[in-house]
Amino acid sequence: MTKTHPRMTVTKAVVPAAGLGTRFLPATKATPKEMLPVVDKPAIQYVVEEAAAAGLSDILMVTGRNKRALEDHFDRAYELEELLARKGDRDKLRRVQESARLANMHYVRQGDPKGLGHAVAVAEQHVAGQPFAVLLGDDLIDPRDPLLSRMIEVQQELGGSVIALMEVDPSQIHLYGCAAVKPNGFGEDVVRVTDLVEKPDTADAPSNYAVIGRYILDPAIFDVLRETKPGRGGEIQLTDALRGLAVRDASTGGPVHGVIFKGRRYDTGDRADYLRAIVRLACEREDLGPEFRSWLRDFVATEMQS
Ligand code: UTP
């Protein structure tokens, strides 16, 4: 059994980005969905920026087919940089270089995309027995509503693993992993997770707390993942493995805590949410916002009339 170190600092992040992105076909036929632009940055860059802002400077990206675009994006682009430098276009040059300077990037291939639990399992060697963060490559958390640093703080205080929860309308819970929770006396936004179920029907859901794509995991998760059989959709589900950790005590890598997130979040793997993310972020941008908001106001007014 993996030895656990509840108070070890969290320095590494794992970003699974090997899914097939079938909801976005044909856009994702030759491009990973995590590379789809949200305004003018690929979705995955927001995620890597979030990890770096929380002090996680070592990032392992789990990739699959079409991984080149992901690797190239976080690497230098010498020809392009030289061209922009020659033109004296410092602003574009800065934007091109930014992504390569964010963190120490590492890559591992998942092989077959057998599910999120399987994607996390391939990170075992890199994580090397420390608690680590997992950030889903298609889940955007608004940088003004910090979540990851709070989760790290809770993990450092309480040990075990920490997942992010968000209240959703009960009619939507079938789209998420769902957590049964009880108070744990550590602040209004923190609960103890007693059970988990992947994408339950509304009638069977133990709560309306949905699991969203940020986790701080104890390395004991790898022992549980090895034993985890394919679940819903024939995939190895991270939710099922977390369920195994939730019933453990501190001496064997448990328990699981939940941080309740009330901020802004976008699931860029979902087409409607992806569009909402672009509109909202474009409206808030200093450079694009004023013109775009004015166009949007006219557009909506016209739509309302028709
Ligand atoms: P999703 O279930 O949203 O991704 O996984 P998907 O399977 O690519 O999406 P659809 O339903 O076909 O459109 C959440 C995250 O986990 C990663 C995905 O890349 C995404 O960031 N993932 C999922 C993996 O890395 N490997 C897998 O086997 C499955």
Side-chain angles (χ1 to χ4, degrees), residues 137-213:
D138 58 357
D139 224 338
L140 293 198
I141 302 292
D142 195 297
R144 290 162 299 180
D145 302 320
L147 167 63
L148 205 53
S149 46
R150 175 65 175 152
M151 294 174 72
I152 293 171
E153 185 179 52
V154 171
Q155 198 280 337
Q156 296 291 286
E157 287 291 327
L158 300 180
S161 295
V162 181
I163 63 175
L165 301 173
M166 197 164 181
E167 274 192 86
V168 298
D169 190 89
S171 66
Q172 299 298 301
I173 198 74
H174 69 280
L175 300 170
Y176 297 90
C178 173
V181 304
K182 64 177 189 187
N184 72 352
F186 191 74
E188 272 180 18
D189 62 334
V190 184
V191 287
R192 170 81 181 260
V193 175
T194 55
D195 198 6
L196 286 151
V197 44
E198 182 64 17
K199 301 194 170 102
D201 293 334
T202 305
D204 304 329
S207 75
N208 62 339
Y209 284 117
V211 180
I212 59 172

Side-chain angles (χ1 to χ4, degrees), residues 16-23 33-34 110 113-116 119 136-138:
L20 295 177
T22 55
R23 284 168 289 172
K33 72 171 166 184
E34 290 81 3
Q110 188 184 359
K114 292 186 201 158
L116 179 57
L136 297 197
D138 58 357

